Amino acid sequence: ASHPLFRAFKANKASFGAWLTLPGTFPARTLAQASPHLDWVVVDCEHGLIPLVPGVAESVSAIQGARPGGGPSAIVRIPATGVTASSSWQIKHALDAGARGVLVPMVSTAEKASEVVADSLFPPGGRRGFGSPFTHGIWGVTVPEYLEAANKHILIMVQIETKEAVENVRAIAAVEGIDAVFIGPYDLSISLGYPPPSPDPHPEVEKVIQKIREEAHAVGTKCAIFCTSGAQGAIRAKQGFDMINVTSDTGSMTEGIAKHLADASGQ
Ligand code: 3PY
């Protein structure tokens, strides 16, 4: 039940991911097969066009089955922001689809982070219910094996992207069960009153980004960040970030098409 993301965590190595925003199995598979160096994919049901119901199950299966022996780890970003009454069923649905991890946007207090953990773990650690006839099969294990492996190997990750979350970051990162905090530089910049990154964040936001990483690491929690290029990602890896998103399906499509046409036309 191990998967690329947790293997990277165990080896204490930076892992690299990409963002999926387009619905359907073909974008998911194409992205997941693009490089053996892709450790994880975020299936974005928040700002992406992938519906949680019924679309996420097919995206998750396509990503994790994309390579012989298993593709990248699929992490689902749920649509509900800030932990609402909807977060609970959305986390359940994302994990029942076979996801290896869940990403919850705009979590700004330790109490809310604890709610995320409770929804993501089976008892005794949490309150997740079991019932899907598909999930264990997607992981290729039996039901009892799934119940044990899920509590050990599901990545529980929350986004730090508000002023309030920055104030509470150490307490959020220290919540038992939170494996990683994820920095969303766009929302973080806006919340702090700065323009969004273009492509680098404002220097004042950059200071906050480094502080979030330090606070997470101080309590033994991993720190993830969203980047829009491999070059930016390499810098983040050197700085000590643990999980680095380097591109998205639509971003790579746009950049790739523009580059090839510029090369061909000489303009
Ligand atoms: C942000 O930068 O706000 C994100 O959530 C990344 O998509």
Side-chain angles (χ1 to χ4, degrees), residues 131-168:
S132 164
F134 308 114
T135 317
H136 61 285
I138 297 168
W139 281 35
V141 296
T142 63
V143 169
E145 283 168 346
Y146 179 74
L147 291 176
E148 200 189 324
N151 270 14
K152 271 197 211 140
H153 296 299
I154 279 175
L155 173 88
I156 306 175
M157 182 160 68
V158 293
Q159 280 195 247
I160 303 295
E161 49 186 352
T162 63
K163 194 167 178 282
E164 190 188 6
V166 173
E167 283 155 15
N168 295 325

Side-chain angles (χ1 to χ4, degrees), residues 19 77 159 161 182 184-188 226:
W19 220 251
R77 178 159 83 167
Q159 280 195 247
E161 49 186 352
F182 186 102
Y186 288 83
D187 277 317
L188 181 63
F226 184 88

Side-chain angles (χ1 to χ4, degrees), residues 107-110 113 158-175 178 181-183 208-209 211-217 219 221 223:
V107 176
S108 299
T109 65
V158 293
Q159 280 195 247
I160 303 295
E161 49 186 352
T162 63
K163 194 167 178 282
E164 190 188 6
V166 173
E167 283 155 15
N168 295 325
V169 63
R170 190 179 283 226
I172 294 170
V175 167
I178 294 291
V181 294
F182 186 102
I183 301 172
V208 176
I209 287 174
K211 175 176 176 274
I212 295 170
R213 179 181 52 75
E214 286 161 15
E215 295 282 328
H217 285 171
V219 291
T221 297
C223 191

Side-chain angles (χ1 to χ4, degrees), residues 71-165:
S73 315
I75 300 163
V76 174
R77 178 159 83 167
I78 65 162
T81 52
V83 186
T84 67
S86 300
S87 309
S88 196
W89 76 260
Q90 292 180 359
I91 290 170
K92 174 171 63 187
H93 194 79
L95 296 178
D96 276 1
R100 301 290 188 167
V102 68
L103 175 58
V104 179
M106 299 220 185
V107 176
S108 299
T109 65
E111 289 71 27
K112 298 229 164 173
S114 305
E115 295 290 309
V116 171
V117 173
D119 285 330
S120 304
L121 295 178
F122 292 118
R127 59 180 173 226
R128 181 180 170 199
F130 177 79
S132 164
F134 308 114
T135 317
H136 61 285
I138 297 168
W139 281 35
V141 296
T142 63
V143 169
E145 283 168 346
Y146 179 74
L147 291 176
E148 200 189 324
N151 270 14
K152 271 197 211 140
H153 296 299
I154 279 175
L155 173 88
I156 306 175
M157 182 160 68
V158 293
Q159 280 195 247
I160 303 295
E161 49 186 352
T162 63
K163 194 167 178 282
E164 190 188 6

